[in-house]
Amino acid sequence: MICRRTEDIDIIHSPLSQTYSADSQSLRVLIYRLPDTQWSLEVVDEAGTSTVWDDLFETDKQVLEEAFMAIESEGIGSFISKAHHEDKTAEPALLKALAQGKIQPTVQEVQDMMAPLSDADLAELDQFLLDGVDNDEAMTLDTLDGYLHAIAIGPQTIMPSQWLPKVWGEDSAVMPPMDNLEQFNNIMGLVMRHYNSIISAFQHKPPFVAPYWGIRKYETGVYEDAEGWAYGFTEGVALNRAAWKPLFDTAQGQQWYRPIGLLGEEAFSAEQDELTKTPPQREQLAQQIENSLVNIHAFWLPLRQAMYERETSQRLRTKVGRNEPCPCGSGKKFKKCCGSAAELH
């Protein structure tokens, strides 16, 4: 855990603190405590506006679960416009300091939350998935990478509480049993960093695409093996296949998805066996996937942005009070501005 001394206060930051990204927006989930207190939760948007929970938690694992549930139920847009914590007079000194921006993660810590996993990190996560999860349905590292790519670039924002159980097996909880809290913190941090780094890579112009799969040696040579990765991607699609239908209904979308479906689905097409019979055939399909991912991401991006804007608009309409400032920025009270039938903005 990270301990920083600020304004004569020793702040212990949990390694579960992380950046969560969706719909081209990011939130910082900050989990911290004083040496002799329970854990606090704060969610900070890109403008520096924070939401601080009044309740304290016994473990940082409980805090992270609370953050996931809150973002899932409220929607990421609700954290963008303003902080929900209004009772400033009742705040502890620590929370006041945080709300005033006196205690924030360093630039390096934020960059670390989004940084791609190192080779050592990938090896550690790979080993845990192979040996640390007592479930035959648990994903391997290449399958996990494909799964996270589908979630990151697909048509909807899917919360970690929805997709994490499938990583460890169909009937698993958000996280499998761990030997100790330190191991839990470490593995969760690796998974979320990998997910965030995929999202961050697609935000580059042009997108930086680097799907993770291995190679396999055959008598005829060494070839790329993307079947496990493709299966993971199809599992990500299966979380809500109906939402992907607009892509599958277009000729271009079918062509982009084709190499993934041929390698990852059990019964994708009548000619599937003939097209995937040899290692060179499968490698040729694998080499088409990067271009497919760029195009699939571009196909869904306008929808994801529109859904975010609509969600934000709906939340502004339902949550603003009649005597509060109008969200249009006019400076008038809502009831005298957009809340009045005589006004149109």
Side-chain angles (χ1 to χ4, degrees), residues 11-33:
I11 307 299
I12 300 172
H13 290 267
S14 166
L16 291 182
S17 296
Q18 57 192 260
T19 296
Y20 179 77
S21 300
D23 300 334
S24 300
Q25 300 290 330
S26 295
L27 297 172
R28 296 202 304 276
V29 178
L30 307 181
I31 304 171
Y32 52 83
R33 66 177 175 86

Side-chain angles (χ1 to χ4, degrees), residues 15-16 18 61 64-65 68 125 160 163-164 168 174-175 178 182-194:
L16 291 182
Q18 57 192 260
K61 175 183 176 182
L64 187 63
E65 290 174 347
F68 285 163
L125 182 55
W163 57 256
L164 273 169
W168 323 113
V174 172
M175 288 294 287
M178 299 280 187
E182 182 179 358
Q183 185 186 39
F184 172 90
N185 291 341
N186 185 49
I187 296 300
M188 176 64 86
L190 291 176
V191 173
M192 294 308 300
R193 270 183 55 205
H194 192 47

